[in-house]
Amino acid sequence: AQSVTQLDSQVPVFEEAPVELRCNYSSSVSVYLFWYVQYPNQGLQLLLKYLSGSTLVKGINGFEAEFNKSQTSFHLRKPSVHISDTAEYFCAVSYYTGTASKLTFGTGTRLQVTL
Amino acid sequence: DGGITQSPKYLFRKEGQNVTLSCEQNLNHDAMYWYRQDPGQGLRLIYYSQIVNDFQKGDIAEGYSVSREKKESFPLTVTSAQKNPTAFYLCASSDRDRGHYEQYFGPGTRLTVT
């Protein structure tokens, strides 16, 4: 079975400071990893994804994540956050059951950026 | 523009009434999904469909029903049997030809049942 753990439910940070949102996964098969962002009362938007290849993945809005197989982690980072980055962030793992592809989500991390 | 539309954005119902949430996509995707989102619990899969006229239960299907008569449409009915229906509902789709890995989400419907 696949599972995703987001260790921090909330992360407060000052504007222009760096941030890291942590994500750990467990899986018995090959995984494909995603970070999504959700602004209040909206759907989810894909930030970035790891399918294969380079373990450092760059996404939209200046975010990046590093896939670490030995530590089963896929942490999200941004070197300098902006007020507009305030949102909920979800880590997810995709897996194929043999008949269908599914996503398992973490419980989310709320990033609160203040001046 | 291609995308997923969900209507309405806000929906209010009295307890004991069935309610149907709409989901339409023009991305030509084969697979469609319904999720429920509650505070602090992330997204939980209700139902999914890989092709027209076929669908499977997800992790929390009790009290819900779906249909997939057209590729573009995947409506969700919240029945009176759902004990705690108040939640934010999200529809998503994915492209079978790309391995279904990435899902695209609609804007969501917030259902309040009193």
Side-chain angles (χ1 to χ4, degrees), chain A residues 85-114:
Chain A
D85 292 323
T86 295
E88 187 105 24
Y89 292 80
F90 291 94
C91 182
V93 58
S94 175
Y95 62 99
Y96 189 67
T97 67
T99 57
S101 177
K102 295 184 180 180
L103 280 179
T104 295
F105 288 87
T107 52
T109 297
R110 176 164 296 280
L111 177 63
Q112 182 67 51
V113 182
T114 56

Side-chain angles (χ1 to χ4, degrees), chain A residues 36-113:
Chain A
Y36 284 87
V37 60
Q38 184 181 36
Y39 300 101
N41 290 314
Q42 294 186 26
L44 275 66
Q45 179 184 2
L46 182 68
L47 270 180
L48 50 79
K49 59 188 175 186
Y50 172 79
L51 302 182
S52 64
S54 174
T55 57
L56 183 63
V57 180
K58 294 192 182 297
I60 63 171
N61 300 341
F63 284 93
E64 64 180 34
E66 185 158 18
F67 171 60
N68 188 319
K69 188 174 182 179
S70 62
Q71 297 188 6
T72 61
S73 67
F74 191 54
H75 301 332
L76 181 70
R77 302 185 182 99
K78 187 170 183 177
S80 176
V81 296
H82 190 268
I83 288 284
S84 60
D85 292 323
T86 295
E88 187 105 24
Y89 292 80
F90 291 94
C91 182
V93 58
S94 175
Y95 62 99
Y96 189 67
T97 67
T99 57
S101 177
K102 295 184 180 180
L103 280 179
T104 295
F105 288 87
T107 52
T109 297
R110 176 164 296 280
L111 177 63
Q112 182 67 51
V113 182

Side-chain angles (χ1 to χ4, degrees), chain A residues 34 36 38 41 49 101, chain B residues 9 37 101-103 110:
Chain A
F34 303 82
Y36 284 87
Q38 184 181 36
N41 290 314
K49 59 188 175 186
S101 177
Chain B
K9 189 167 180 63
Q37 185 178 20
Y101 303 131
E102 178 179 337
Q103 292 184 16
R110 185 166 298 281

Side-chain angles (χ1 to χ4, degrees), chain B residues 71-85:
Chain B
K71 187 175 185 178
E72 304 78 23
S73 178
F74 191 41
L76 173 74
T77 297
V78 184
T79 75
S80 56
Q82 168 50 233
K83 301 216 182 303
N84 186 17

